[in-house]
């Protein structure tokens, strides 16, 4: 086997949050905020906790596109330019009374929460905040009522905190690593199988260099850092179940300092474990999709790679920690369609070989790949 697979338990630094020096002002919503609420209700798309799809990283606070149809579904999500735009307004229960509350950014550096049922309003802010972005409203502590996740920046544009507002208890938790100068929140999703979603982010130092992939576990007020001296840059386009255990895994596409692919790595936050997958054939490689290809629990990671003359498809089985690579000499294949062609659990991959103008069907479960006329599949018909 050419591929290299490594998995190891991490001694992951666990950091305690620091309490935010917040100002909570009940019943001090100014008329401008009331006007903002009325305007936003009419002209803005309402954002709910479901606007960040569980299990899939999302451009926080922005609309996303999901390709569907006869071609292979690409569930990739893109960054939101360091989350600078965010959510304008959301109506979500934040205090646990099962009634919607209105949450919005007010006066550029505060979060205003209106509780129509009680008539009580709260304003959350901090003297060090120059600008605040509302990223998401989701349950992060496993207790009734959604939390408000914000990114605050200082007057010089540096990261002030990733802060989580617990409106039910009128408290605010601030998360800021000592070397976090900027950060991008990639996803808010359950990564450990316990109540409450985690916040997955990448943090960068003052030079703009990658500092860590960090996961905030607000339930116990901590965050974990994942990093390696060999990592120059990291793309996080997928946060899904890859091992069949509770909690989604974070799939990393890691580049080294020589601008080549270092690994496809998978963070198992629940176990504090990092799995590393490499292949010497990979010169350039990109994860195309996560889907069950073998009929067993957990999605497989499907990647297409290329070199100057050749290319192929690699299928990572993260549950048993193995990888299968199908190389095509003189070809740079592309995935045209994914589906169940043989009526047995596990999807097959239909690929196109441009030089041959031919199609092949990859059956990961059997380990076979055969030529077929096209990628169309007939109901109940088995390709051989």
């Amino acid at each position: 086997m050419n591929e290299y697979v490594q998995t190891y338990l991490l001694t992951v630094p666990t950091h305690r949050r620091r309490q935010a020096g917040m100002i909570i002002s009940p019943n001090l919503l100014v008329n401008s905020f009331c006007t903002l609420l009325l305007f936003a209700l009419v002209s803005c798309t309402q954002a709910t906790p479901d606007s960040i799809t569980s299990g899939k990283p999302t451009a926080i606070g922005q609309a996303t596109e999901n390709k569907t149809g006869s071609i292979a579904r690409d569930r990739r999500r893109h960054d939101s330019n360091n989350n600078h735009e965010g959510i304008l307004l959301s109506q979500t229960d934040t205090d646990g009374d099962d009634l919607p509350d209105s949450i919005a950014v007010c006066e550029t550096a505060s979060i205003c929460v209106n509780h129509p049922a009680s008539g009580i309003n709260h304003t959350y802010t901090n003297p060090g905040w120059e600008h605040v972005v509302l990223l998401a409203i989701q349950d992060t502590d496993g207790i009734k009522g959604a939390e408000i996740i914000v990114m605050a920046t200082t007057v010089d544009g540096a990261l002030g905190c990733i802060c989580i507002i617990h409106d039910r208890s009128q408290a605010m938790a601030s998360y800021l690593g000592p070397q976090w100068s900027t950060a991008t929140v990639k996803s808010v999703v359950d990564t450990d199988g316990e109540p409450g979603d985690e916040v997955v982010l990448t943090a960068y130092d003052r030079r703009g260099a990658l500092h860590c992939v960090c996961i905030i576990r607000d339930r116990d007020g901590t965050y974990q850092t994942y990093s390696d001296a060999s990592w120059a840059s990291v793309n996080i386009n997928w946060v899904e179940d890859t091992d069949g255990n509770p909690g989604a895994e974070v799939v990393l596409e890691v580049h080294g300092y020589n601008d080549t692919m270092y690994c496809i790595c998978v963070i198992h936050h629940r176990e504090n474990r990092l799995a590393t997958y490499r292949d010497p054939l990979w010169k350039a490689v990109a994860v195309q999709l996560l889907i069950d290809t073998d009929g067993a629990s957990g999605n497989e990671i499907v990647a297409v790679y290329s070199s100057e003359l050749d290319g192929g498809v690699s299928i990572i089985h993260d549950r048993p920690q193995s990888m299968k690579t199908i190389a095509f000499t003189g070809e740079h294949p592309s995935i045209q369609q994914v589906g169940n062609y043989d009526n047995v659990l596990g999807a097959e991959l239909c690929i196109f070989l441009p030089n041959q103008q031919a199609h092949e069907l990859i059956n990961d479960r059997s380990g076979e790949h055969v030529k077929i006329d096209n990628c169309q599949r007939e109901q109940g018909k088995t390709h051989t």
Side-chain angles (χ1 to χ4, degrees):
M1 300 291 287
N2 289 325
E3 65 266 11
Y4 171 78
V5 179
Q6 181 184 44
T7 181
Y8 52 91
L9 294 175
L10 298 175
T11 305
V12 179
T14 300
H15 309 269
R16 303 295 302 182
R17 66 164 175 85
R18 62 180 178 87
Q19 184 65 34
M22 63 179 174
I23 299 174
I24 304 175
S25 305
N27 296 314
L28 289 182
L29 286 179
V30 295
N31 290 333
S32 62
F33 175 56
C34 296
T35 302
L36 170 64
L37 288 179
L38 291 173
F39 172 78
L41 281 170
V42 173
S43 63
C44 299
T45 301
Q46 178 174 313
T48 70
D50 292 332
S51 66
I52 300 176
T53 306
S54 176
K56 304 175 184 67
T58 307
I60 307 298
Q62 292 189 343
T64 60
E65 179 182 0
N66 185 12
K67 298 179 181 178
T68 58
S70 61
I71 63 172
R73 288 183 298 169
D74 184 354
R75 286 178 280 184
R76 178 171 303 196
R77 298 292 186 267
H78 303 285
D79 296 346
S80 55
N81 192 24
N82 210 26
N83 313 121
H84 286 312
E85 294 189 15
I87 297 170
L88 296 178
L89 171 73
S90 179
Q91 289 191 306
T92 308
D93 174 26
T94 60
D95 57 6
D97 64 358
D98 294 323
L99 297 173
D101 306 299
S102 297
I103 308 101
V105 176
C106 54
E107 300 178 356
T108 72
S110 300
I111 296 293
C112 293
V113 183
N114 174 263
H115 301 276
S118 64
I120 297 175
N121 307 315
H122 292 128
T123 301
Y124 298 89
T125 189
N126 183 289
W129 294 359
E130 177 70 15
H131 184 70
V132 66
V133 177
L134 177 57
L135 298 179
I137 302 98
Q138 290 184 225
D139 174 26
T140 62
D141 62 3
I143 302 173
K144 196 172 184 181
E147 280 65 56
I148 304 165
I149 304 166
V150 303
M151 175 184 291
T153 52
T154 62
V155 67
D156 59 357
L159 180 67
C161 73
I162 303 295
C163 283
I164 300 181
I165 298 170
H166 298 256
D167 186 54
R168 182 182 52 82
S169 58
Q170 298 176 37
M172 184 160 62
S174 175
Y175 298 91
L176 181 65
Q179 297 187 50
W180 299 7
S181 182
T182 60
T184 300
V185 172
K186 294 292 188 174
S187 185
V188 182
V189 66
D190 174 25
T191 60
D192 63 3
E194 300 294 333
D197 291 340
E198 282 66 53
V199 181
V200 180
L201 61 96
T202 50
Y204 304 86
D205 63 21
R206 292 182 180 180
R207 299 175 293 112
L210 176 69
H211 174 62
C212 70
V213 176
C214 293
I215 301 179
I216 296 172
R217 184 159 49 203
D218 187 55
R219 183 181 65 256
D220 58 13
T222 64
Y223 65 89
Q224 287 76 41
T225 61
Y226 298 85
S227 62
D228 189 285
S230 301
W231 297 1
S233 64
V234 171
N235 292 328
I236 302 176
N237 294 312
W238 311 91
V239 184
E240 297 189 26
D241 175 30
T242 62
D243 63 3
N245 294 319
E249 281 65 55
V250 183
V251 180
L252 313 177
E253 296 173 81
V254 182
H255 287 82
Y257 288 95
N258 56 357
D259 201 31
T260 60
M261 194 70 177
Y262 177 75
C263 72
I264 295 175
C265 292
V266 182
I267 294 174
H268 297 256
H269 183 220
R270 185 176 60 89
E271 304 168 359
N272 284 339
R273 178 170 61 87
L274 182 73
T276 300
Y277 300 92
R278 304 176 195 162
D279 193 303
L281 295 175
W282 295 353
K283 302 305 178 187
V285 63
V287 176
Q288 299 296 302
L289 73 160
L290 271 66
I291 193 169
D292 174 25
T293 61
D294 62 2
S297 57
N299 288 331
E300 277 64 57
I301 303 168
V302 181
V304 172
Y305 73 88
S306 65
S307 60
E308 291 183 3
L309 300 176
D310 305 313
V313 177
S314 293
I315 303 175
I316 295 171
H317 298 260
D318 189 51
R319 181 180 50 83
Q321 299 168 34
S322 64
M323 183 168 65
K324 183 183 301 179
T325 294
I326 302 101
F328 295 92
T329 303
E331 288 284 0
H332 292 93
S334 61
I335 298 174
Q336 296 292 295
Q337 186 165 313
V338 179
N340 189 343
Y341 285 77
D342 60 3
N343 299 318
V344 180
L345 286 177
E348 284 72 54
L349 311 175
C350 184
I351 64 169
F352 177 65
L353 305 175
N355 289 342
Q356 301 179 40
Q357 289 293 297
H359 295 86
E360 288 206 12
L361 190 68
I362 297 175
N363 187 318
D364 176 52
R365 189 183 56 261
S366 68
E368 299 176 344
H369 56 98
V370 296
K371 281 187 167 54
I372 57 175
D373 293 335
N374 55 62
C375 287
Q376 295 179 0
R377 57 191 176 96
E378 299 177 23
Q379 193 69 28
K381 181 177 179 180
T382 301
H383 287 264
T384 58

